[in-house]
Amino acid sequence: MGVADLDLDLDLDLDLDPGPGTNPDRAPDRAPDLGPGGKPHVLSLTPAPGGPPLRAGALFALVRLRGRPVATLLTTVPDGADPVGVLVTAFRAQYGQHGQHHAETGELSGAPPRTTVVVATRERADRLGRALDSLLAQDHPDFHVVVVDNAPVTTATRELVDEVYAGRVTYVHEPVPGLAVAHNRGVAATDSPVVAFTDDDVVADPRWLSALTAPFAADPRTGCVTGLILPARLTTPAQVLLESHGGFAKGFAPRLYDPAAPPADEPLFPFTAGSFGSGANMAFRTSALRAVGGFDPATGTGTPARGGDDLYAFVRILAAGHRLRYTPDALVWHHHRETWQDLRNQAYGYGAGLTAYLTAVLCRHPSLLPALLAKLPRGLAHARAITTHRPGETGAGVPGMHGTHGHPWPRSLSRLERRGMLYGPLGYARARWGIR
């Protein structure tokens, strides 16, 4: 499946119609002068970073309005059809004849503060280079990149940084395995007021870091910011299945989570940390993260807990009184795991990480136990809901829209998630014991 980035520079009542008249001096994937009266509104369609060339078949596209991500479209391009025209038609069907869409407001902006970007990695130098190239191309005015090599067995990562990125990227060795341990090592290596985290299997949008860190300058109560994660490519059934059920994306509306004004639509707040964001796209005010003790080293990939390090940090930041913001303007493209076994491991790990992080919160901060117990009945119902067998269905609007469950979620994966939930507290206990 092709993955594309569709950029619509629209005024109100702009009637999208690619039609004839593409300027031959421009790249063939651009159709200029789409607006009435010859106004030069440009529709562009380009493959996502690292994705396959666009061709006939299924096509997943990110739609931006005036540079801001607002929607995704999943459609089929017939043989011989123009992908731009097909996507414009799908966009019209979802958002109206004139392509009008009023993006959510409420985003805060400000001069992005000095930031350190931490990338934890282990024996994936081939993927790491792609991520580092995108990070070094950021438009942020003042940042530095730190690579934390977590329990390496070869020198491949060190050699990559030394030979290709010398002077531009700092290499740090962390011998103790575990994603949380590696992230804490990265925090210790920075003197920046903001520290951002992403993974070695992403490609960051050029504006990612600026969008992710600007809210810290605009709002002193902000302790954490998360962003949008979309697939870099959808070429295997496992990748398509994961993305059709939401993937890592948390929507296109900016969101503020404030412990002083808990959201009415989240009765389990703040314990539904999975709705706040994901570890591949997050940033913290460094002082706030250090004040809550950083990440719990007994959580995360690479430990018996299997995950939950990011969720633990989100809850700790909120419990300490800081605000958490989700901003879809901060975009990274994630290379999803490709095989069915990868997806099985991921489903089990998600379940384990969920209950492992809850166990970590209660072990380290028992004062939160009364609040959790009060919400436990709803929490159990929520756990059952998110792991239930989800039948295939057609969503409203454009059939096959991202997150509308166009593909059935197998019962076997639901069972694996539940088994992971049962294992999570044991996995966390094993990890704690190993640290001791």
Side-chain angles (χ1 to χ4, degrees), residues 9-269:
D9 185 7
L10 303 180
D11 283 342
L12 293 180
D13 283 337
L14 172 60
D15 188 3
L16 289 178
D17 181 7
T22 299
N23 187 337
D25 294 331
R26 298 198 182 201
D29 62 347
R30 301 181 70 88
D33 299 328
L34 302 183
K39 289 186 69 176
H41 300 292
V42 176
L43 171 84
S44 65
L45 176 62
T46 56
L54 297 179
R55 58 183 184 273
L59 183 62
F60 177 90
L62 167 67
V63 179
R64 305 189 200 223
L65 290 180
R66 303 180 185 90
R68 299 185 63 182
V70 296
T72 52
L73 296 172
L74 181 59
T75 189
T76 300
V77 179
D79 288 333
D82 174 21
V84 175
V86 171
L87 283 168
V88 167
T89 300
F91 183 78
R92 275 180 172 172
Q94 179 68 15
Y95 296 112
Q97 175 66 19
H98 299 294
Q100 296 180 30
H101 180 85
H102 300 285
E104 296 287 339
T105 58
E107 286 290 77
L108 297 181
S109 61
R114 183 165 52 90
T115 302
T116 296
V117 182
V118 175
V119 184
T121 187
R122 188 175 191 269
E123 301 304 331
R124 301 207 294 190
D126 53 336
R127 303 184 184 187
L128 177 63
R130 179 179 59 199
L132 292 179
D133 288 342
S134 72
L135 292 176
L136 293 174
Q138 294 296 298
D139 68 358
H140 191 289
D142 189 4
F143 73 99
H144 183 65
V145 179
V146 172
V147 168
V148 180
D149 198 3
N150 189 214
V153 295
T154 72
T155 60
T157 298
R158 179 187 286 274
E159 291 170 359
L160 174 70
V161 174
D162 289 347
E163 295 174 8
V164 181
Y165 302 99
R168 296 184 293 163
V169 174
T170 297
Y171 174 90
V172 175
H173 174 263
E174 173 50 63
V176 178
L179 185 57
V181 175
H183 281 169
N184 284 338
R185 184 68 179 85
V187 174
T190 181
D191 61 356
S192 301
V194 172
V195 57
F197 300 88
T198 191
D199 292 347
D200 59 9
D201 55 1
V202 309
V203 175
D205 187 78
R207 291 192 61 252
W208 166 69
L209 192 59
S210 293
L212 188 68
T213 58
F216 291 102
D219 179 10
R221 286 193 57 198
T222 297
C224 177
V225 180
T226 62
L228 177 63
I229 303 174
L230 291 178
R233 58 191 306 160
L234 294 171
T235 56
T236 72
Q239 292 174 328
V240 173
L241 178 63
L242 176 64
E243 196 59 33
S244 71
H245 287 269
F248 297 95
K250 308 301 178 185
F252 293 92
R255 188 77 189 263
L256 170 64
Y257 296 96
D258 188 345
D265 60 339
E266 294 213 13
L268 302 179
F269 179 86

Side-chain angles (χ1 to χ4, degrees), residues 203-412:
V203 175
D205 187 78
R207 291 192 61 252
W208 166 69
L209 192 59
S210 293
L212 188 68
T213 58
F216 291 102
D219 179 10
R221 286 193 57 198
T222 297
C224 177
V225 180
T226 62
L228 177 63
I229 303 174
L230 291 178
R233 58 191 306 160
L234 294 171
T235 56
T236 72
Q239 292 174 328
V240 173
L241 178 63
L242 176 64
E243 196 59 33
S244 71
H245 287 269
F248 297 95
K250 308 301 178 185
F252 293 92
R255 188 77 189 263
L256 170 64
Y257 296 96
D258 188 345
D265 60 339
E266 294 213 13
L268 302 179
F269 179 86
F271 299 108
T272 49
S275 64
F276 303 152
S278 298
N281 191 352
M282 61 184 183
F284 296 85
R285 196 177 299 277
T286 307
S287 59
L289 184 59
R290 286 174 173 162
V292 300
F295 299 90
D296 186 330
T299 60
T301 304
T303 72
R306 303 288 294 266
D309 53 306
D310 49 352
L311 308 184
Y312 172 86
F314 297 156
V315 172
R316 286 295 295 120
I317 285 290
L318 288 165
H322 301 283
R323 290 172 170 169
L324 185 152
R325 291 184 178 274
Y326 169 74
T327 172
D329 288 0
L331 167 66
V332 299
W333 301 89
H334 181 262
H335 285 78
H336 292 353
R337 300 174 187 180
E338 298 181 353
T339 69
W340 180 252
Q341 187 57 49
D342 288 337
L343 191 55
R344 286 174 56 85
N345 293 341
Q346 197 166 20
Y348 185 85
Y350 282 169
L354 175 63
T355 52
Y357 106 79
L358 288 172
T359 305
V361 167
L362 296 182
C363 287
R364 289 179 166 269
H365 309 282
S367 61
L368 294 175
L369 179 60
L372 180 60
L373 289 177
K375 300 176 180 182
L376 187 59
R378 287 186 177 181
L380 293 175
H382 175 74
R384 179 173 179 78
I386 65 175
T387 62
T388 190
H389 171 66
R390 288 162 272 195
E393 58 186 65
T394 300
V398 178
M401 283 289 291
H402 171 256
T404 57
H405 315 308
H407 300 263
W409 187 257
R411 298 181 193 276
S412 60

